[in-house]
Amino acid sequence: MSIELYRDEHHACLMFTDLVEEDGQAVQANQFLIVDHGVGAVIDPGGNLAFNELYLGMSRFFAPQQLSYLLASHADPDIIASLDRWLTSTRAKLVISRLWARFAPHFAKVGKTEDRVVGVPDAGGILPLGQGVLHLLPAHFMHAEGNFHFYDPASRILFTGDLGASMTSGAEAARPVRALRDHIPRMEGFHRRYMVCNKILRLWVHMARKLDIAMLVPQHGAPIVGARAVADFLDWIETLECGVDLFDQRAYQLPTAQIDPAVNAVRAPLRAVQGG
Amino acid sequence: MSIELYRDEHHACLMFTDLVEEDGQAVQANQFLIVDHGVGAVIDPGGNLAFNELYLGMSRFFAPQQLSYLLASHADPDIIASLDRWLTSTRAKLVISRLWARFAPHFAKVGKTEDRVVGVPDAGGILPLGQGVLHLLPAHFMHAEGNFHFYDPASRILFTGDLGASMTSGAEAARPVRALRDHIPRMEGFHRRYMVCNKILRLWVHMARKLDIAMLVPQHGAPIVGARAVADFLDWIETLECGVDLFDQRAYQLPTAQIDPAVNAVRAPLRAVQGG
């Protein structure tokens, strides 16, 4: 099922929240289609689990073989492990951080990425799309070392990849969050372990406050909607200690515990992403 | 071609350096096979580019369908994008950080990872292999948030994933480095941009100095061999400023430059991994 985040006569943003079968093995993930004046881009198209459903699901709105871009916030499997199949099925170019431009081809078969990768420099940039543009904003270390968010000035939506992610089901991810406080417990554990450090969050917030954001839409879980909730999110993340802030010598000790492959096996259902 | 890093009557460590066709698109990557008393594990099996060659190449030494483990230092595509094919071709379990246990299934088709993933807690642990063991050492934020190195006490080899990586060809990766100084220029740019911060490097070095390391073997480029070179590597990395240490507000600005997909296209040959 798709959710219309924005639509006017020439511009649309669609979100897909439930394409990955919820067997408890894989984390829920959102995928996005943006179309401007008949030119289309997919943001964070997802892994092999999502490919068929997204390809078919978006076909109702836009012919996937006409896609111009596959935008990847970074190179994790839930973001872009379907790359080989998208490169085969479309003529779209992968737009990704220069840091991952030579890693992403490992998703694909030999030669598939030839002239199909656009490497984004660390400063980001402005990408033409139809008669409009998308802004590629620096979001390095949130969590990936080379990482971008995507701001759509037509809809005033900021697509934030793992930032703002909440651990939930596809159905819950479809319900926008307008009051942040009750939502923080769904985000906190993930952000504390996967976001790299508070310094980076502060630098990013300082930049993000200059944008007019109607909706902050992560790649996992529910969109954060409205000026109040977005401002509260920026305030929350600005002071969050996370990642390396919380690690000391206790975390880097020669191991002594036995790993028993039977005991440590990950089985369904496992709902929360757990660190530690 | 395989390189014998270690062999005795019951234990062997093999390295594959040139399985990825060098068309300039994809970064060079090493893969490893460890066998103890007839029980086998692959370390960082690589992406779709490496699968066929590794499967065939290792067959001369060990029947791949008998593999017990696929050990992944983290979840990047050059590490484990071939997961779906390994899960199909073997009965091996994927051993990976708990942080990526629910992300890795996005590499595979639905249901493939059921009961096939062993999630390693942040403290790491000791994994039985044949009549011996492998130590799973915490290496978080080097670069991935959940990251492990693998220490083999029989060979005294430490497999360090991206740490110690050098950007080179498959042929050069096969030549061990015994004097560090001339090797540092091949490592420095990568480590400054991809390793998360000096604090983490220092914590890790403090732990690593307690190990008896004959050889430090990264997933890209050449092994660092001998007590002198290994000690010099630890000294170098301990004082390296990197990652978030080097980022300030200048790196987080709203973008103004145009991205031209033609100009920014990544074409072969591109030898150095470049940030910025």
Side-chain angles (χ1 to χ4, degrees):
Chain A
M1 197 187 73
S2 68
I3 293 153
E4 195 175 285
L5 296 176
Y6 178 87
R7 182 184 289 274
D8 65 27
E9 195 181 347
H10 301 296
H11 191 87
C13 300
L14 298 177
M15 174 178 179
F16 301 83
T17 68
D18 58 359
L19 302 186
V20 176
E21 191 182 314
E22 293 187 18
D23 62 356
Q25 295 286 307
V27 67
Q28 184 272 341
N30 304 321
Q31 300 82 31
F32 308 97
L33 170 66
I34 302 191
V35 180
D36 188 278
H37 288 84
V39 177
V42 169
I43 291 180
D44 292 347
N48 281 317
L49 297 166
F51 175 79
N52 286 336
E53 295 294 322
L54 181 56
Y55 193 90
L56 291 173
M58 69 179 280
S59 299
R60 292 175 48 209
F61 311 98
F62 189 83
Q65 60 273 25
Q66 299 298 321
L67 274 178
S68 296
Y69 302 118
L70 308 164
L71 301 172
S73 55
H74 57 295
D76 275 2
D78 55 313
I79 299 288
I80 188 65
S82 58
L83 179 63
D84 190 77
R85 303 178 77 183
W86 285 105
L87 291 177
T88 303
S89 311
T90 74
R91 289 176 297 175
K93 292 198 173 186
L94 173 67
V95 178
I96 195 165
S97 163
R98 269 194 199 161
L99 267 67
W100 306 124
R102 288 181 74 225
F103 290 83
H106 286 272
F107 284 120
K109 296 185 191 72
V110 174
K112 279 278 190 75
T113 52
E114 181 87 34
D115 259 347
R116 302 285 296 275
V117 180
V118 177
V120 182
D122 273 356
I126 297 176
L127 183 74
L129 182 76
Q131 295 183 27
V133 294
L134 285 177
H135 294 211
L136 283 47
L137 303 175
H140 312 304
F141 301 99
M142 304 170 66
H143 63 94
E145 292 75 35
N147 203 53
F148 288 99
H149 294 163
F150 307 109
Y151 179 69
D152 173 16
S155 64
R156 298 184 296 124
I157 296 175
L158 180 60
F159 295 93
T160 51
D162 282 316
L163 189 75
S166 52
M167 297 298 123
T168 180
S169 66
E172 287 170 323
R175 286 198 286 272
V177 167
R178 294 176 185 277
L180 200 75
R181 203 179 60 179
D182 293 345
H183 192 55
I184 288 177
R186 291 178 173 176
M187 301 190 287
E188 189 161 359
F190 176 81
H191 285 72
R192 281 200 190 276
R193 184 62 185 84
Y194 288 77
M195 295 293 132
V196 161
C197 64
N198 175 260
K199 171 186 171 179
I200 296 299
L201 297 177
R202 278 186 285 115
L203 294 172
W204 179 87
V205 166
H206 187 77
M207 173 187 71
R209 287 211 174 103
K210 296 176 180 160
L211 288 171
D212 178 11
I213 305 171
M215 201 184 293
L216 188 151
V217 184
Q219 187 236 348
H220 306 285
I224 295 170
V225 175
R228 181 70 263 153
V230 170
D232 286 348
F233 178 80
L234 298 184
D235 289 347
W236 173 65
I237 207 84
E238 188 176 30
T239 60
L240 189 76
E241 294 222 298
C242 59
V244 301
D245 302 331
L246 307 174
F247 275 66
D248 60 22
Q249 196 65 61
R250 287 171 294 181
Y252 295 84
Q253 299 288 334
L254 297 179
T256 53
Q258 291 283 326
I259 298 280
D260 181 336
V263 171
N264 291 80
V266 177
R267 296 196 178 83
L270 176 67
R271 288 298 296 277
V273 169
Q274 292 159 340
Chain B
M1 197 187 72
S2 68
I3 293 153
E4 195 175 284
L5 297 175
Y6 178 87
R7 181 184 288 276
D8 65 26
E9 197 181 346
H10 301 299
H11 191 86
C13 301
L14 298 177
M15 174 177 180
F16 301 83
T17 68
D18 58 0
L19 301 186
V20 176
E21 191 181 314
E22 294 187 17
D23 61 356
Q25 295 288 307
V27 67
Q28 183 273 340
N30 304 320
Q31 301 81 32
F32 309 97
L33 170 66
I34 302 191
V35 180
D36 189 279
H37 288 85
V39 178
V42 169
I43 291 179
D44 292 347
N48 282 316
L49 297 166
F51 175 78
N52 287 336
E53 295 294 321
L54 181 56
Y55 193 89
L56 291 172
M58 70 177 281
S59 299
R60 293 174 48 211
F61 310 99
F62 188 84
Q65 60 274 25
Q66 298 299 319
L67 275 177
S68 295
Y69 303 117
L70 308 164
L71 301 172
S73 54
H74 57 294
D76 276 2
D78 55 314
I79 299 288
I80 188 66
S82 56
L83 179 64
D84 190 76
R85 303 179 76 183
W86 284 105
L87 291 177
T88 302
S89 311
T90 74
R91 287 175 298 174
K93 292 196 173 186
L94 173 67
V95 178
I96 196 165
S97 162
R98 268 193 200 163
L99 266 69
W100 307 124
R102 290 180 71 224
F103 290 83
H106 286 272
F107 283 120
K109 297 184 189 73
V110 174
K112 278 276 190 77
T113 51
E114 180 89 32
D115 258 348
R116 301 285 296 275
V117 180
V118 176
V120 182
D122 273 355
I126 296 175
L127 183 75
L129 182 76
Q131 294 183 26
V133 295
L134 286 176
H135 294 210
L136 284 46
L137 303 176
H140 312 305
F141 301 100
M142 301 169 71
H143 61 94
E145 292 74 34
N147 202 53
F148 288 98
H149 295 164
F150 306 110
Y151 179 69
D152 172 17
S155 64
R156 298 184 296 125
I157 296 174
L158 181 59
F159 297 93
T160 52
D162 282 316
L163 189 75
S166 51
M167 296 299 123
T168 181
S169 66
E172 286 170 324
R175 286 198 288 273
V177 168
R178 292 176 186 277
L180 199 74
R181 202 179 59 181
D182 293 345
H183 192 56
I184 288 176
R186 290 178 173 177
M187 299 189 289
E188 189 161 359
F190 176 82
H191 285 73
R192 281 201 191 275
R193 185 61 185 84
Y194 288 77
M195 294 294 131
V196 160
C197 65
N198 176 260
K199 171 186 172 179
I200 294 300
L201 296 178
R202 279 187 284 115
L203 295 172
W204 179 87
V205 167
H206 186 77
M207 172 187 72
R209 287 211 175 103
K210 296 177 181 160
L211 287 172
D212 179 11
I213 304 171
M215 201 184 292
L216 188 149
V217 185
Q219 187 238 346
H220 306 286
I224 296 170
V225 175
R228 181 71 263 155
V230 169
D232 286 349
F233 178 80
L234 299 184
D235 288 349
W236 173 64
I237 207 85
E238 188 176 28
T239 60
L240 189 77
E241 294 221 299
C242 60
V244 301
D245 303 331
L246 307 175
F247 276 65
D248 60 21
Q249 195 66 61
R250 288 171 294 180
Y252 295 85
Q253 298 288 336
L254 297 180
T256 53
Q258 291 284 324
I259 298 280
D260 180 337
V263 172
N264 291 80
V266 177
R267 295 196 179 84
L270 176 67
R271 289 297 297 275
V273 169
Q274 293 158 338

